[in-house]
Amino acid sequence: MRLSLYKKGRLVVLISGSGSNLQAILDACQSDVIPAEVVCVVCDRKDAYGLIRAEKAGVPTQYLPWMPYREAGKTREDYDRDLADLVKQLDPDWIILAGWMRLLTLSFLGEFSGKIVNLHPALPGTYPGTHAIQRAWEDFQQGNIDHSGVMVHFVPDEGVDDGPVILTEEIPFLPEETLVEFEERVHHVEHDILIKAIISLFNS
Ligand code: GRF
C-alpha cells in the first residue's frame, strides 16, 4: 500500500495492557519512521497503562469492555460486531493487535480482510495463546529448545496466533538468564520487529 507524498496512513491499534508496543508505534509515527498516524487506540481494559500512553501522545482512545455484554447475555459475536462498527468509522488502513488479549471472531475479522496484523512473542506455530514467553523459557529449562522468537503476522481467521507471516526474528536463549531477563529481551525485539513490519506494509 503506497501512499502519496503528503497523505499519512491511518492505524488503529487494539491493546489490553501496558502498551509498550503501542509506545513503539507512537514514537515511530511521531518521528516519521512510519508514514502513518495512530488515529485511535481501542482498549478492552479500563486500567490498561496503554490508555495513558495514548492520551499523553494526544491520540483518541475508545474503551470497549466485554463485561457489560456478558452480563446482558450477549455473545462474543455481538461484542465483535460493535467493535467492527467502531473501527469502521475510523477508516483504518491497518489494524494492529498490539497486546490485544481477546480472541476475535469472524464478526470482526470478516469486516477487515487483509488489514489485521498481530504481534506474537514466539515463532510461527509455537506457543499460541497466553504466557508464550514463559512457556518457551520453561521448555528451554527442560532442555527441549535452544531458541524462541517473535513474529508479526496477518490475521485472516479465528486461528490463534496463526496466519500469513510478515516478519519473524529468532531469539537464542542465554545460559543463566532468568525469565524476567528473557522477557525483557523478547519485548525489546518485539518493539523493533513490529515497526519494521508496519513499515513493510506501507512499502508493499
Ligand atoms: C506482548 O508481548 C505481545 O506480544 C503480547 O502481549 C504483550 C503486550 O505487551 N501479545 P505491551 O502491552 O505491548 O507492553
Side-chain angles (χ1 to χ4, degrees), residues 17-22 98-99 101 119-121 133 187 190:
S18 136
S20 66
N21 287 285
L22 165 67
M101 300 309 285
L119 170 70
H120 181 56
I133 302 174
H187 291 315
E190 283 190 308

Side-chain angles (χ1 to χ4, degrees), residues 33-46:
V33 168
I34 295 175
E37 60 184 329
V38 178
V39 294
C40 190
V41 171
V42 182
C43 183
D44 62 333
R45 297 193 189 163
K46 196 175 188 174

Side-chain angles (χ1 to χ4, degrees), residues 44-117:
D44 62 333
R45 297 193 189 163
K46 196 175 188 174
D47 57 355
Y49 185 65
L51 286 171
I52 294 171
R53 295 181 191 269
E55 281 156 22
K56 280 188 180 163
V59 169
T61 60
Q62 290 278 354
Y63 167 52
L64 187 65
W66 159 244
M67 200 51 79
Y69 287 80
R70 202 174 107 171
E71 285 169 357
K74 292 186 176 177
T75 64
R76 286 172 59 210
E77 283 77 8
D78 292 327
Y79 177 97
D80 282 3
R81 268 189 289 276
D82 287 350
L83 179 63
D85 287 346
L86 189 165
V87 172
K88 259 188 255 172
Q89 288 173 22
L90 300 164
D91 190 24
D93 294 307
W94 305 101
I95 298 158
I96 313 295
L97 311 182
W100 172 257
M101 300 309 285
R102 287 187 57 76
L103 294 177
L104 293 164
T105 66
L106 287 173
S107 297
F108 181 84
L109 302 171
E111 297 289 338
F112 303 99
S113 181
K115 285 190 170 186
I116 305 173
V117 170

